[in-house]
Amino acid sequence: MVMPNTDRISKALDLLRDGLRPKCEETWSGFFGDDWLNVVNGRMHNPESNPTTADVAFLFKGMKTTWSDVFGHGFPPAVRSLVFELSDVRNTWAHQGTFSTDDTVRALDSMERVLDAFGNLDERQGIRTLRRDLMRQMFDEESRSERRKTAAKPTEGQPQAGLTPWREIITPHADVASGRFDQAEFAADLFEVYSQNADEEYQDPKAFFARTYLTHGLKDLLVGAAHRLAGDGGDPVIELQTNFGGGKTHSMIALYHLASGVPANDLPGVGEALAEAGVKLPSEINRAVLVGQMISPSAPQPVENGIELRTLWGHLAYQIGGKAGYELVRADDEAGTNPGAALRTLFQQFGPAVVLVDEWVAYARQLRDGGDDRLAGGDFDTQFTFAQALTEAAAAVPNVVVLVSIPASDIEVGGDRGKTALEKLKNVVTRKAAQWQPASPDESFEIVRRRLFDPIPDDKAKVRDGVIRAFSEMYRNQHGDFPSGVSETEYRRRMELSYPIHPELFDRLFGDWSALDKFQRTRGVLRLMALAISQLWQRGDQSLLIMPGNLPMDSGALVSEMKKYLEEGWDPVI
């Protein structure tokens, strides 16, 4: 039975309330003390007679009223915009307004983003399920509509005589061709992998590397880490910093799986890379994953009798060494003080080890300055003395590697407090860290193509070359009608790399669209192109290449995806 959009919004608002409530209560209590509920209510233009955080409307009004003083220090303006947007969604729902499918998809996506920023996993997953079901419903309806059309009319444009359409040369992966993919599959999430909740292509090491293109940067990262873990040189600390959606999380998951205990020869592409470098992985490697927004700095986490993890170093020690490892830092974990030399002892006893630190700024910006109101996770400045101790300990022990993710875009930093945390963290980490190289534009083409398409059969490669040669000759013979550079040999090489997608389409997405705050570069391109390719495949598109003019802009699913990244004023343009 199809769920009405208003019911879907209602269920999602309940989940959003349950996800935001603990964080809001904890934050307000920290700022306003025991009487925080009345203080927050008193700040409202129209205070409630019976205020309660069980009411999502009160949560929204309270967050909006106290944003500048409370939440603005820890979250970027983009999150504020989402909160205000969702407040309007709640008001529309409460007044029995209508929601189009596009409106509903956008609202659900915004809710996911807010809960992700607030470090909530369970309710976020519930809202993601609601959105997935709606997207699947949209796709099924469009597929049925296409099948009902007589002759399944292809997209405009017939191939030049003697040349073969892209669909007869290369085939989309089965999930893309059928439209049965989940867009969340394109969203790498280190914490979900660590907690065993990720989709198979991210959770299973073999499946992960089977669909991963090893760029030069990623291959160097894995080989260097393998050398380090084997006690054979390599960089002890690596800093990952790129713009939003630049591949940091994918690289961290790759290293996590490298240290999974699965033989390197069973990981596609990895065994060859390590063999070529003459390095062999240790059979057992301890791993620690610290994802800042998923660790509460104020609520200790009980893990076993007599042990509650309070700080990042407490989590680190317990993950690497269990109870014995934790005992090395217990006193500093309970006091919220820097463990110092205990980290070196920890690594010496429990190496080889991989330490992955993601969203550190998101964690640090929540901490307070020293004083009586210090949180369980320690104070703000202690984070950076710990960062120095961590990098020095990793450098001192020859079989430990630490990867630290550093945000490069304002959307990830989060307010003035986040900017201060970023500056301090970079000052410490950069002293010891090697810099990671993200994928080049041409490598990004291959990343997308490998994820969306099956390999081109050997007997079809020459057929593809004939199509590309025809385009190159047209650009040369009519060079005055096309942009400069497209008639050059280098552009022909780019067409080979990006086939069956024309380089111009990739350039627009990786260039122009990547300037949008919400567009996560490789992930965003994957999501958009999966929708477009699925529709073109089902419509029997007969084009030689997939070009900007081929995008099926009458597809509701594709348009909904595009609108998520744009301001509302773009709707009539689309």
Side-chain angles (χ1 to χ4, degrees):
M1 182 177 176
V2 175
M3 183 187 301
N5 286 334
T6 51
D7 290 355
R8 202 178 298 270
I9 291 291
S10 177
K11 289 179 180 292
L13 285 171
D14 287 344
L15 290 167
L16 182 65
R17 175 201 62 206
D18 294 344
L20 291 177
R21 187 179 182 182
K23 182 70 174 181
C24 287
E25 291 177 347
E26 173 189 311
T27 304
W28 283 326
S29 175
F31 271 85
F32 302 126
D34 294 340
D35 196 36
W36 60 266
L37 184 62
N38 290 323
V39 173
V40 172
N41 189 45
R43 288 190 167 207
M44 296 182 184
H45 182 65
N46 293 307
E48 300 286 341
S49 56
N50 295 299
T52 173
T53 52
D55 179 7
V56 70
F58 179 83
L59 283 177
F60 279 134
K61 287 192 286 186
M63 292 173 72
K64 290 165 65 176
T65 299
T66 61
W67 191 270
S68 296
D69 295 336
V70 178
F71 297 99
H73 300 290
F75 295 95
V79 176
R80 177 187 181 277
S81 298
L82 291 173
V83 169
F84 279 63
E85 173 191 327
L86 291 174
S87 177
D88 291 340
V89 169
R90 181 267 163 198
N91 293 338
T92 300
W93 169 82
H95 292 91
Q96 300 181 333
T98 59
F99 290 90
S100 68
T101 301
D102 287 347
D103 294 337
T104 307
V105 170
R106 180 180 181 124
L108 296 176
D109 182 76
S110 296
M111 292 181 196
E112 282 185 61
R113 291 173 185 270
V114 167
L115 289 180
D116 186 60
F118 275 73
N120 178 278
L121 184 64
D122 294 337
E123 282 76 18
R124 183 191 68 174
Q125 187 62 43
I127 293 174
R128 175 177 293 176
T129 298
L130 289 171
R131 183 175 59 81
R132 283 182 178 183
D133 290 343
L134 180 56
M135 295 295 291
R136 201 175 290 121
Q137 174 186 318
M138 291 173 63
F139 225 102
D140 288 346
E141 289 175 355
E142 290 186 351
S143 296
R144 285 194 294 271
S145 175
E146 289 301 320
R147 288 194 295 269
R148 284 194 294 266
K149 291 180 180 179
T150 59
K153 186 176 71 172
T155 303
E156 288 183 12
Q158 293 295 325
Q160 185 176 331
L163 296 177
T164 306
W166 68 269
R167 65 182 296 109
E168 297 179 20
I169 297 174
I170 193 170
T171 304
H173 285 316
D175 60 340
V176 176
S178 64
R180 290 293 177 180
F181 59 89
D182 285 325
Q183 290 192 324
E185 292 175 5
F186 303 128
D189 190 312
L190 178 62
F191 186 79
E192 289 194 353
V193 173
Y194 165 70
S195 57
Q196 302 290 308
N197 289 318
D199 293 315
E200 182 184 5
E201 72 169 272
Y202 289 109
Q203 192 69 61
D204 180 74
K206 297 178 184 178
F208 174 83
F209 281 108
R211 286 196 171 184
T212 293
Y213 173 62
L214 296 184
T215 64
H216 290 301
L218 182 55
K219 186 180 294 185
D220 288 347
L221 173 67
L222 296 176
V223 170
H227 276 295
R228 182 71 187 173
L229 293 168
D232 183 29
D235 296 308
V237 183
I238 302 168
E239 176 188 336
L240 308 180
Q241 181 173 26
T242 65
N243 290 322
F244 199 36
K248 298 189 298 290
T249 304
H250 201 92
S251 297
M252 298 185 96
I253 294 174
L255 188 51
Y256 181 83
H257 286 321
L258 181 74
S260 64
V262 176
N265 288 335
D266 293 341
L267 302 176
V270 176
E272 296 88 334
L274 298 190
E276 184 179 324
V279 59
K280 185 177 181 180
L281 276 174
S283 57
E284 292 186 12
I285 303 169
N286 289 313
R287 299 177 293 184
V289 173
L290 306 175
V291 180
Q293 63 192 39
M294 293 301 172
I295 299 175
S296 172
S298 59
Q301 179 185 338
V303 288
E304 62 176 271
N305 188 33
I307 297 181
E308 288 187 337
L309 307 180
R310 294 168 169 79
T311 63
L312 289 187
W313 44 98
H315 282 269
L316 166 63
Y318 187 78
Q319 287 185 40
I320 284 182
K323 188 175 189 299
Y326 178 74
E327 292 300 335
L328 294 172
V329 302
R330 179 191 281 271
D332 289 306
D333 183 60
E334 293 177 345
T337 51
N338 173 37
L343 290 176
R344 181 180 301 188
T345 304
L346 176 74
F347 289 154
Q348 288 170 339
Q349 291 187 18
F350 297 99
V354 167
V355 179
L356 306 175
V357 189
D358 196 13
E359 306 289 355
W360 200 342
V361 169
Y363 181 86
R365 71 192 182 206
Q366 301 176 68
L367 298 171
R368 301 170 191 166
D369 296 324
D372 294 337
D373 62 346
R374 178 183 62 80
L375 299 178
D379 61 41
F380 188 69
D381 286 338
T382 303
Q383 281 301 295
F384 311 108
T385 55
F386 162 60
Q388 183 171 346
L390 175 64
T391 56
E392 290 177 352
V397 181
N399 60 354
V400 172
V401 61
V402 174
L403 264 73
V404 180
S405 168
I406 304 289
S409 62
D410 289 342
I411 193 172
E412 296 175 279
V413 171
D416 293 338
R417 190 71 162 180
K419 292 177 181 177
T420 302
L422 174 63
E423 182 180 343
K424 286 177 172 287
L425 192 58
K426 277 190 65 64
N427 285 341
V428 173
V429 172
T430 304
R431 295 176 191 169
K432 297 282 185 181
Q435 300 298 307
W436 165 77
Q437 295 299 317
S440 68
D442 287 353
E443 288 176 327
S444 298
F445 294 174
E446 180 65 24
I447 291 170
V448 172
R449 187 175 72 169
R450 181 172 293 212
R451 176 58 186 86
L452 300 179
F453 292 95
D454 291 334
I456 297 177
D458 292 339
D459 62 326
K460 297 292 186 181
K462 290 185 178 180
V463 182
R464 174 208 60 189
D465 293 344
V467 173
I468 293 173
R469 183 165 52 250
F471 270 88
S472 296
E473 290 175 356
M474 178 179 66
Y475 292 150
R476 266 198 317 272
N477 296 334
Q478 303 175 38
H479 60 87
D481 297 331
F482 296 100
S484 61
V486 299
S487 60
E488 304 295 331
T489 303
E490 172 62 18
Y491 201 77
R492 177 171 175 169
R493 187 186 67 85
R494 296 184 74 213
M495 283 195 286
E496 293 173 354
L497 288 171
S498 63
Y499 184 90
I501 300 169
H502 194 282
E504 177 67 15
L505 180 51
F506 270 144
D507 287 344
R508 297 283 70 76
L509 292 175
F510 279 110
D512 300 342
W513 276 71
S514 291
L516 299 173
D517 284 342
K518 296 181 182 179
F519 194 76
Q520 292 182 275
R521 211 162 174 269
T522 303
R523 186 182 305 177
V525 173
L526 280 169
R527 290 168 66 135
L528 273 177
M529 290 309 302
L531 289 165
I533 290 163
S534 182
Q535 281 292 300
L536 293 174
W537 183 261
Q538 293 182 38
R539 296 179 184 198
D541 179 52
Q542 294 291 311
S543 302
L544 297 175
L545 294 175
I546 299 172
M547 304 182 71
N550 294 110
L551 293 182
M553 297 302 294
D554 57 337
S555 165
L558 178 65
V559 171
S560 290
E561 178 67 18
M562 296 178 73
K563 284 182 177 179
K564 290 192 312 190
Y565 308 115
L566 303 170
E567 300 296 332
E568 292 185 7
W570 282 94
D571 290 6
V573 177
I574 293 177

